[in-house]
Amino acid sequence: TQLLEQSPQFLSIQEGENLTVYCNSSSVFSSLQWYRQEPGEGPVLLVTVVTGGEVKKLKRLTFQFGDARKDSSLHITAAQPGDTGLYLCAGAPYGNKLVFGAGTILRVKS
Amino acid sequence: DVKVTQSSRYLVKRTGEKVFLECVQDMDHENMFWYRQDPGLGLRLIYFSYDVKMKEKGDIPEGYSVSREKKERFSLILESASTNQTSMYLCASSFEGGRVEKLFFGSGTQLSVL
């Protein structure tokens, strides 16, 4: 059983559509991170959220940390083919090492 | 441009062989990590190191060992490779200090054990 559950596992959408990816847990985290991994490359950090209820924006990407610090979401507006990749959430349970979710594979078709 | 470099992108080995995966970082980071990535399982921590000659077991250390003789280099060793060790291996580094650990990853080594 994953400590961090991501949904959906796979998402295929048309260019211009909006989408949301979820990262959920029954545990409380001191922080949550989102990474994007493109084929043949390692994950690259997109954002870190540290405060319950925090919202961060990175161009067309909006990240939210749940009030209870147990979940997070990533919303992409007007998806582009360049957004295609594997999106991973990672969280640090208090006093422990980072744990990763299984990831969401996003494919944006032009 | 900061980098974490893994020595091989693809490796094919036979069952029972000793396998070395090398990782070098040029960011003077104290912390280094080895993960394996399998479909549907995400990244799982094998070993990590906070300092030279220091190592700590992660979540799945069985069948692996590591070596950190220099700050910039962290090696993963499979003493006797088995088919269930076929996977993508990712090395990462981070700097000490700060409230949140931020990982910088290499491009990965896809290992196939036949």
Side-chain angles (χ1 to χ4, degrees):
Chain A
T1 305
Q2 297 274 144
L3 186 61
L4 282 168
E5 297 285 344
Q6 284 190 243
S7 61
Q9 289 184 313
F10 181 77
L11 197 53
S12 180
I13 61 171
Q14 290 294 137
E15 181 176 1
E17 291 184 18
N18 302 331
L19 66 115
T20 302
V21 175
Y22 300 93
C23 177
N24 296 299
S25 177
S26 57
S27 298
V28 176
F29 291 87
S30 60
S31 64
L32 269 174
Q33 299 179 331
W34 286 91
Y35 291 79
R36 179 168 67 208
Q37 184 178 18
E38 297 183 17
E41 299 297 328
V44 175
L45 179 65
L46 295 174
V47 77
T48 301
V49 285
V50 297
T51 305
E54 182 177 3
V55 177
K56 278 192 174 178
K57 291 194 173 185
L58 186 64
K59 296 183 180 178
R60 293 176 293 101
L61 279 61
T62 302
F63 305 85
Q64 186 162 8
F65 198 11
D67 291 339
R69 313 171 73 93
K70 293 182 178 181
D71 56 87
S72 181
S73 64
L74 158 59
H75 181 79
I76 300 179
T77 303
Q80 304 293 314
D83 296 326
T84 292
L86 174 68
Y87 288 82
L88 294 157
C89 68
Y94 283 97
N96 290 310
K97 301 301 299 175
L98 268 180
V99 293
F100 283 81
T104 294
I105 298 171
L106 172 64
R107 180 186 172 200
V108 182
K109 296 175 284 187
S110 56
Chain B
D1 202 16
V2 296
K3 271 194 173 178
V4 177
T5 303
Q6 294 184 231
S7 54
S8 304
R9 293 296 293 265
Y10 301 96
L11 273 180
V12 180
K13 297 292 182 180
R14 295 208 175 273
T15 302
E17 279 192 75
K18 190 169 185 175
V19 182
F20 292 87
L21 302 183
E22 306 286 347
C23 175
V24 177
Q25 51 97 1
D26 65 0
M27 295 170 279
D28 201 34
H29 284 171
E30 292 82 5
N31 309 328
M32 296 189 75
F33 307 82
W34 276 106
Y35 290 87
R36 63 177 283 175
Q37 183 176 28
D38 300 287
L41 296 177
L43 276 68
R44 292 180 291 166
L45 182 62
I46 305 171
Y47 267 96
F48 60 101
S49 169
Y50 285 145
D51 202 353
V52 175
K53 297 192 185 293
M54 174 268 172
K55 61 185 178 184
E56 294 276 354
K57 292 181 180 179
D59 299 318
I60 52 164
E62 296 78 20
Y64 304 95
S65 63
V66 290
S67 172
R68 193 163 181 203
E69 295 296 319
K70 294 184 178 181
K71 187 177 184 179
E72 67 270 19
R73 187 179 298 268
F74 194 33
S75 303
L76 180 68
I77 303 153
L78 287 66
E79 293 289 342
S80 178
S82 62
T83 55
N84 63 12
Q85 292 179 310
T86 291
S87 187
M88 170 67 80
Y89 289 87
L90 290 163
C91 175
S93 70
S94 71
F95 62 88
E96 187 61 37
R99 184 178 165 192
V100 181
E101 193 144 47
K102 299 178 182 180
L103 299 180
F104 295 84
F105 285 90
S107 297
T109 296
Q110 180 64 52
L111 173 66
S112 296
V113 183
L114 307 178

